[in-house]
Amino acid sequence: MADVMGTVKGKTLVAQTSAVLLTRGLEVEPVAVRNVIAHMVDTVAERVGMDAEEAIHLVTSEAVADAIVAAADQSIEGSDSVHSVRPVRVDARKIQAPTRILGRLVMAASQAGKYASLNEDGRSAAHAMDLATEIGVAIAADGPSAEEAEIPVGLLDELVGLVELVAGRVETDGWSICPCGEQHEQGDIDRKVAVVMRGDADLARVLRSRVDL
């Protein structure tokens, strides 16, 4: 891997690329951006026969962003493994929610993450775990006796989209919590879970709708 990433030029390119990605609606972990840049620098250096210190000046933030956006396109095969990419959370408003409901949403995110992980969708699994953790942190912030907690509205939007996505994959693509291939009525169980997951998504929608009242 290119050893120029610790230089001012390398760090600046990471920051510039992250800024370009934000304008395209994606938030990407800096370490992932750094690794893509390093790979591109090494590739350019080998192709044109120069050292990394020279090659890094031929790599632009726009080109790196293009590569990341293309790899993260969910319509192409293999994008499920791109787990460092998140949609930019555009709604920064906060909403107070009952902790008992938020606990249910933690379960929904965890269930979605488990299905995604067992069916080799690392991207959705990582996103689900992030959401479950974020809700859990909000619940714990005011102590175990708190009846309400504050969470971002955008979190609810992300949760609805993710849970609906996973429920759809269960219903149409045969995702299973037990992908062993054996016939033991697991399909019936999975379909029932998908119904529950859609109910959880509806619960998040109802909670989210309060912010516009």
Side-chain angles (χ1 to χ4, degrees), residues 43-54:
T43 300
V44 170
E46 182 177 354
R47 183 179 302 159
V48 300
M50 58 175 58
D51 58 33
E53 288 77 6
E54 297 172 310

Side-chain angles (χ1 to χ4, degrees), residues 35-127:
N35 290 341
V36 173
I37 293 173
H39 175 71
M40 292 182 71
V41 169
D42 286 341
T43 300
V44 170
E46 182 177 354
R47 183 179 302 159
V48 300
M50 58 175 58
D51 58 33
E53 288 77 6
E54 297 172 310
I56 195 171
H57 294 282
L58 301 178
V59 176
T60 67
S61 56
E62 289 78 10
V64 179
D66 286 344
I68 292 174
V69 169
D73 184 348
Q74 292 183 305
S75 68
I76 64 173
E77 185 176 354
S79 65
D80 290 348
S81 63
V82 183
H83 54 78
S84 300
V85 178
R86 300 284 182 274
V88 174
R89 187 174 290 171
V90 295
D91 197 332
R93 294 175 296 174
K94 298 291 184 68
I95 184 172
Q96 288 289 132
T99 53
R100 59 183 179 80
I101 293 180
L102 294 180
R104 178 76 191 189
L105 298 185
V106 170
M107 294 171 58
S110 300
Q111 186 73 75
K114 187 173 183 179
Y115 267 89
S117 177
L118 289 174
N119 290 275
E120 301 181 349
D121 184 349
R123 180 175 178 176
S124 295
H127 192 186

